[in-house]
Amino acid sequence: MRFHRPLILAAATLTVFAVGGCTSDKPSTTTAADTGAGTAATTAASTAPASGTGEQSKFFVQADYDAQLAMRSQTAEGPADKPWEQAIAPEMVSTAEYKKDGPYNLCFSNAAVDNPWRQVGWKTMQAEAALHKEISKLTALDAEGKDDKQISDIAELQAKGCDALIVSPNTTATLTPAVKGACGKVPVIIFDRGVETDCPVTFIKPIGGYAFGADAAEFLVEKVPAGGKILALRISPGVDVLETRWSAAKAAFDSSGLQVVGVEFTDGDAAKAKGIVNDYIQRNGKLDGVWMDSGATSVAVAEAFEDAGMPVPPMTGEDQQDFLRKWKDDGLTAVAPTYPTYQWRTPIIAALKILKGEEVPKVWNLPQPKITAETLDRYLQPNMPPLHYALCGCEGMPGFPEKWGGKKG
């Protein structure tokens, strides 16, 4: 499967991305060593000698990789205290053709609410919609992680008088025809996960998977001595933002002196992740670092080393409170790249801009911070549940923290 690259940002052409769950447009094989290199790339990031990382993913696109890594140091435009309204290097498009009077019925086709990241995001989106009196209704359908249901959901929503349709696709390629069909009938906003068409009015996402993967891998290259053994843990194959996370990590590891001793899929299961770590400790004697494309099982990974009576090596996580707390309490050597859940606010804001005829970015690249030892305390929230994501952008919203499962004070 080869991706089209229709969405433009600055001089680079951007592939659309997918994130947030474990469903996928799966390739025929499931290991990094076997995925192949379906998209040709001729620079060092894709041709460097392997160090146990296998072939580069077919999802790898050099121009997108270069653009995302560059965006990490670019200053976003927009309100300083509202990163969900900011955009990095935006190319604005007119929405005058969609201008209409309110009140508005917004519709949302959601891939799923099957993990904590999506649950925090969905609560945040609903809270954002409630802030705007011009929204008369937010009609949402949950695809439950099923492509066929989401295709049906998109068709059903088009019959409900939607003024704008927000879609978080379950998978990238399979949902593209349904999105194309909707584009001719209603303004479509894509976010979180992408599709293979540029017909949506805007595509909203943080910088992307390459930035996430590079942030994590570069940390390990810095902290682990040359020759160190690295275990890479991935969730599942075929979800393009997860593939690009690994693509960027592979590029970093291939140009380092580190040895990647394994690339394994955990399915986001804590027990499976812990078992994999135990197997590799027994096989290799020790591990010097763990790279992860998601933080959902980071605590379990750290516990696997503790159970084996070994120190936890440098590792990567995400902005879930359970990992941030363990990092702080145990003094881990860690970094937490993020894929901020505050992005769930932006589609509501974008829909209103479009319906009022205001310009929006064609590709709306949101800031994507990483949490370091120096900034860790800023994101720790003792009053929030373990699986809450720190970058929800919801702290000032009505009902916080209770609506997000937290406690006041």
Side-chain angles (χ1 to χ4, degrees):
M1 178 178 65
R2 189 179 295 271
F3 275 132
H4 305 292
R5 296 189 288 149
L7 298 179
I8 306 297
L9 177 65
T13 323
L14 292 184
T15 306
V16 292
F17 304 101
V19 75
C22 298
T23 53
S24 62
D25 295 310
K26 289 191 177 182
S28 58
T29 54
T30 58
T31 68
D34 296 329
T35 53
T39 299
T42 58
T43 65
S46 61
T47 59
S51 58
T53 60
E55 296 294 325
Q56 185 55 279
S57 169
K58 68 178 182 177
F59 289 82
F60 181 83
V61 179
Q62 185 73 46
D64 300 350
Y65 169 86
D66 293 339
Q68 286 193 24
L69 267 58
M71 276 190 274
R72 294 184 298 172
S73 60
Q74 294 177 17
T75 301
E77 300 177 18
D81 59 343
K82 297 179 180 179
W84 51 89
E85 294 186 19
Q86 296 176 11
I88 300 172
E91 290 194 355
M92 309 302 285
V93 294
S94 173
T95 66
E97 64 183 291
Y98 304 112
K99 185 176 181 179
K100 64 190 300 185
D101 294 332
Y104 305 116
N105 174 23
L106 303 186
C107 294
F108 176 37
S109 173
N110 191 4
V113 285
D114 57 0
N115 62 52
W117 186 90
R118 303 194 70 80
Q119 291 157 12
V120 171
W122 173 224
K123 290 174 185 175
T124 303
M125 177 184 279
Q126 293 175 88
E128 177 65 39
L131 295 176
H132 302 278
K133 294 180 179 180
E134 61 267 51
I135 298 175
S136 60
K137 189 175 184 182
L138 175 61
T139 304
L141 295 178
D142 175 10
E144 301 172 357
K146 301 172 184 176
D147 285 344
D148 55 351
K149 185 177 187 306
Q150 188 164 33
I151 291 168
S152 175
D153 288 349
I154 291 173
E156 180 179 341
L157 287 170
Q158 291 175 61
K160 291 185 178 293
C162 304
D163 293 305
L165 175 62
I166 299 165
V167 181
S168 172
N170 186 54
T171 59
T172 300
T174 306
L175 268 296
T176 296
V179 170
K180 282 184 177 179
C183 281
K185 301 172 184 177
V186 64
V188 175
I189 297 112
I190 299 292
F191 87 104
D192 162 35
R193 302 165 168 182
V195 286
E196 296 175 327
T197 175
D198 63 357
C199 76
V201 180
T202 185
F203 172 43
I204 298 161
K205 63 177 183 67
I207 295 174
Y210 294 114
F212 186 110
D215 282 346
E218 289 166 0
F219 173 80
L220 294 178
V221 171
E222 177 187 349
K223 296 296 183 181
V224 179
K229 298 177 180 179
I230 303 296
L231 174 62
L233 296 179
R234 305 178 58 191
I235 294 180
S236 63
V239 177
D240 48 5
V241 77
L242 299 179
E243 291 285 349
T244 54
R245 289 179 186 183
W246 170 241
S247 290
K250 171 182 163 53
F253 292 140
D254 283 352
S255 61
S256 75
L258 302 180
Q259 179 186 3
V260 178
V261 296
V263 182
E264 300 286 350
F265 292 103
T266 68
D267 300 321
D269 181 87
K272 184 174 181 179
K274 186 177 284 190
I276 291 170
V277 173
N278 286 332
D279 289 345
Y280 273 84
I281 290 174
Q282 294 177 15
R283 190 181 308 173
N284 293 276
K286 69 168 186 172
L287 293 171
D288 300 297
V290 180
W291 178 93
M292 305 181 69
D293 69 0
S294 171
T297 61
S298 295
V299 171
V301 167
E303 290 173 346
F305 288 95
E306 295 168 346
D307 292 347
M310 303 180 71
V312 180
M315 64 176 296
T316 69
E318 211 169 346
D319 57 319
Q320 277 188 193
Q321 288 299 314
D322 60 349
F323 176 68
L324 300 183
R325 174 51 57 192
K326 187 164 187 64
W327 179 358
K328 175 72 173 180
D329 290 349
D330 294 356
L332 302 181
T333 300
V335 72
T338 69
Y339 207 67
T341 45
Y342 59 58
Q343 68 183 281
W344 289 70
R345 299 187 68 164
T346 316
I348 299 294
I349 295 166
L352 292 176
K353 285 182 174 291
I354 291 166
L355 294 171
K356 293 175 181 179
E358 300 174 12
E359 288 186 336
V360 296
K362 181 63 177 177
V363 181
W364 196 323
N365 290 295
L366 300 166
Q368 184 174 310
K370 66 179 177 182
I371 301 174
T372 66
E374 291 72 28
T375 61
L376 174 59
D377 288 345
R378 185 188 313 168
Y379 297 101
L380 274 169
Q381 299 168 309
N383 62 323
M384 299 306 292
L387 301 185
H388 178 73
Y389 281 79
L391 275 79
C392 66
C394 55
E395 290 83 359
M397 304 185 87
F400 185 88
E402 293 91 340
K403 286 185 178 179
W404 285 261
K407 297 179 181 179
K408 281 189 175 180

